[in-house]
Amino acid sequence: MKEGPDIAQIGALIGDPARANMLTVLMGGRALTATELAGAAGITLSTASSHLAKLEAGGLVSQRKQGRHRYFALADDEVGLMLEGLMGFAAHRGFLRARPGPKDPALRKARVCYNHLAGDFGVRMLDRLVADGHVSVDGDDAALTAEGEAKMAGIGIDVTGLRSQRRPVCRTCLDWSERRSHLAGSLGEALLSRFIETGWARRSEDSRAIHFTPKGERQFLDLFPLPERR
Amino acid sequence: MKEGPDIAQIGALIGDPARANMLTVLMGGRALTATELAGAAGITLSTASSHLAKLEAGGLVSQRKQGRHRYFALADDEVGLMLEGLMGFAAHRGFLRARPGPKDPALRKARVCYNHLAGDFGVRMLDRLVADGHVSVDGDDAALTAEGEAKMAGIGIDVTGLRSQRRPVCRTCLDWSERRSHLAGSLGEALLSRFIETGWARRSEDSRAIHFTPKGERQFLDLFPLPERR
DNA sequence: TTCATACTTCGATCGTAACCGAAGCATTGT
DNA sequence: ACAATGCTTCGGTTACGATCGAAGTATGAA
């Protein structure tokens, strides 16, 4: 009867509260076990297992066996981008959960979006990269310039290594709190990893927040100075 | 328990096949009556009415009374952008409906995305505007330059009129068939309207396809020449 | 081998929401 | 005034899927 893609299946997958909770938690970027996800969603293990099987069949999550654990994660960047887009829409329409708790300001400042940096810091980083001619943006695509490649080398990121993967190096991702774009793709992931490796920042245990140390924040802002207010 | 926006409610709204069908049809940009939407979704009028009430309560559609008809349409541009984003994801993952029928090539060439031009023609139009310095793109935001404003005046579009509205003039929208951006916003809407007013193109009766006349296509390509293949 | 942990599968229950037909309003046309 | 059209509301049925506990499977530890 209909033309075009079928959005009902995806909507139905996301539409169950238990599954939506799991996906939201997985947006934190960590791979989690079925037991952890069950706890996060407030359901028993057997129910969680059933939900995870559906999410996997739908291609939204993937599992990796490791010993007697099974770690679940979002299937790929695309899923993360799609979910962040939905969250942006939901946030803008007032579909908010319970209360914007005390963690909220921290989330808006810096948080992980599946595997890369989002929030105010993420948006400003991309702003700066674009303003300095290190990244060029075209629609939702983005590309690293030669100057940008040099800058990344200075930070300690091997761009040629990233290029050899099949994933796109640069992508933009719409930020639900800022409603502007930040940097995703393998470069976005590498940058966040680097910040954590060097001890500038650490992931929160129980939320998507990224906490910068005072020193780390200074060095981050040194690398990516704030643009003048527009 | 949870932080951040609640995507489950929106997912559930979209997750019902009947509602998803209605939304897909409304992506055609026309305002339709409850009876028409019931037919499109293959359900009775009473069921359709119930679904439409839910979609309206969720802010996805709005209704306008006109005589004894009630016309339903997507609530605003944001909804259209969100749905197009979901469709892009769905198409890329193979969540396709039945068969990509004969209408499919026409849809990929040019179709309406809620109220603006999408498909190959839409993507190329934005490409050309950017290449000529008529539109500048920054993430998902976009802006019309002074040169661009002159060009629009030449086409017969009153940009100052558009600016006086509260809607953004320019936005980018991710195209599900091309996986690149095209132009949305009030300017995107005005351009499509203009193409139809001038008789260069017409909307298909029963799908989202936009059909250009031979003459219209020539004039369109004259205004927005194809960029050299990259 | 035996036990413990991590997870899946099975079977059964339960609640919700999708659905339809009939009846009720509202608006327009005659 | 009366009929016709367009849609909503109501009542009742039905079906699906979310949920849980218990039993089954796999992996690792003792």
Side-chain angles (χ1 to χ4, degrees):
Chain A
M1 168 183 319
K2 293 285 91 73
E3 73 221 13
D6 185 2
I7 53 178
Q9 296 181 51
I10 295 173
L13 279 176
I14 301 172
D16 179 79
R19 285 193 292 262
N21 281 340
M22 294 188 188
L23 291 171
T24 302
V25 173
L26 288 176
M27 280 292 281
R30 294 175 193 277
L32 298 172
T33 65
T35 309
E36 289 169 321
L37 287 167
I43 51 180
T44 63
L45 184 56
S46 64
T47 308
S49 180
S50 155
H51 282 308
L52 287 168
K54 286 172 190 173
L55 288 173
E56 194 179 8
L60 296 192
V61 309
S62 60
Q63 64 167 299
R64 188 164 41 90
K65 295 182 67 166
Q66 201 167 94
R68 56 180 155 186
H69 294 275
R70 299 202 178 181
Y71 287 96
F72 290 86
L74 298 189
D76 54 47
D77 291 14
E78 302 254 341
V79 176
L81 297 180
M82 182 268 291
L83 289 175
E84 184 81 2
L86 264 192
M87 287 186 178
F89 180 82
H92 200 235
R93 309 302 267 226
F95 284 97
L96 293 177
R97 265 172 176 131
R99 36 74 232 264
K103 283 184 295 194
D104 210 48
L107 283 180
R108 286 176 191 277
K109 180 179 176 188
R111 68 175 180 280
V112 63
C113 173
Y114 179 36
N115 57 16
H116 53 269
L117 184 63
D120 185 41
F121 271 40
V123 168
R124 292 192 181 198
M125 180 170 75
L126 178 57
D127 275 357
R128 197 68 229 178
L129 287 170
V130 170
D132 292 346
H134 293 146
V135 169
S136 67
V137 173
D138 167 31
D140 61 312
D141 283 346
L144 194 62
T145 63
E147 299 89 344
E149 193 153 343
K151 170 141 186 167
M152 292 305 142
I155 300 177
I157 291 175
D158 171 29
V159 178
T160 46
L162 297 182
R163 285 201 207 282
S164 65
Q165 301 176 243
R166 275 193 32 235
R167 300 165 51 198
V169 174
C170 291
R171 287 206 61 168
T172 63
C173 178
L174 188 56
D175 202 287
W176 67 257
S177 57
E178 299 292 315
R179 300 211 50 81
R180 306 204 39 228
S181 289
H182 58 251
L183 185 66
S186 61
L187 179 61
E189 179 176 9
L191 278 165
L192 177 57
S193 302
R194 195 83 190 109
F195 298 151
I196 291 173
E197 270 171 35
T198 53
W200 292 4
R202 62 176 180 77
R203 300 161 104 98
S204 164
E205 280 304 320
D206 56 348
S207 87
R208 293 172 62 188
I210 295 281
H211 299 287
F212 276 79
T213 65
K215 185 178 171 190
E217 182 160 339
R218 250 180 287 119
Q219 300 194 271
F220 176 88
L221 294 177
D222 197 39
L223 264 179
F224 306 105
L226 306 185
E228 56 287 355
R229 269 263 157 267
R230 35 174 118 186
Chain B
M1 165 181 324
K2 296 282 93 70
E3 72 220 15
D6 185 2
I7 54 179
Q9 297 181 50
I10 296 174
L13 278 177
I14 301 173
D16 179 81
R19 286 193 292 262
N21 281 339
M22 294 188 188
L23 290 171
T24 301
V25 173
L26 288 176
M27 281 292 282
R30 295 175 193 275
L32 298 172
T33 65
T35 309
E36 289 169 321
L37 287 167
I43 51 180
T44 63
L45 184 56
S46 64
T47 307
S49 179
S50 155
H51 283 308
L52 287 167
K54 285 171 192 174
L55 288 174
E56 194 178 8
L60 296 191
V61 309
S62 59
Q63 64 167 300
R64 188 165 41 91
K65 295 183 65 166
Q66 200 167 94
R68 56 181 155 186
H69 295 274
R70 299 203 179 182
Y71 286 96
F72 291 86
L74 297 189
D76 53 48
D77 291 13
E78 302 254 341
V79 177
L81 296 180
M82 182 270 290
L83 289 175
E84 184 80 1
L86 264 192
M87 286 186 178
F89 180 82
H92 200 236
R93 310 301 268 227
F95 283 96
L96 292 177
R97 266 170 174 133
R99 38 67 232 264
K103 282 185 295 192
D104 210 47
L107 282 180
R108 286 176 190 276
K109 181 179 177 189
R111 67 175 180 281
V112 64
C113 172
Y114 179 36
N115 57 17
H116 53 269
L117 184 64
D120 186 41
F121 271 38
V123 167
R124 293 192 181 197
M125 180 170 76
L126 178 57
D127 275 357
R128 196 68 229 179
L129 287 170
V130 170
D132 292 347
H134 293 146
V135 168
S136 67
V137 173
D138 167 31
D140 60 313
D141 282 346
L144 194 63
T145 63
E147 298 89 345
E149 193 154 343
K151 171 141 185 167
M152 291 306 141
I155 300 177
I157 291 175
D158 171 29
V159 178
T160 47
L162 297 181
R163 285 201 208 282
S164 65
Q165 301 176 244
R166 276 195 28 237
R167 298 166 50 197
V169 174
C170 291
R171 286 205 63 168
T172 64
C173 179
L174 187 56
D175 202 287
W176 65 258
S177 58
E178 299 292 316
R179 302 211 49 81
R180 305 203 41 229
S181 290
H182 58 250
L183 184 66
S186 61
L187 179 60
E189 180 177 8
L191 279 165
L192 176 57
S193 301
R194 195 81 190 113
F195 299 152
I196 291 173
E197 270 172 34
T198 53
W200 294 3
R202 60 176 182 77
R203 299 161 104 99
S204 164
E205 281 304 320
D206 56 350
S207 88
R208 294 172 62 188
I210 296 280
H211 299 288
F212 276 78
T213 65
K215 184 179 172 190
E217 183 159 339
R218 250 181 288 120
Q219 300 194 271
F220 177 88
L221 293 176
D222 197 39
L223 265 179
F224 307 104
L226 306 185
E228 55 287 356
R229 267 264 156 264
R230 32 174 119 188

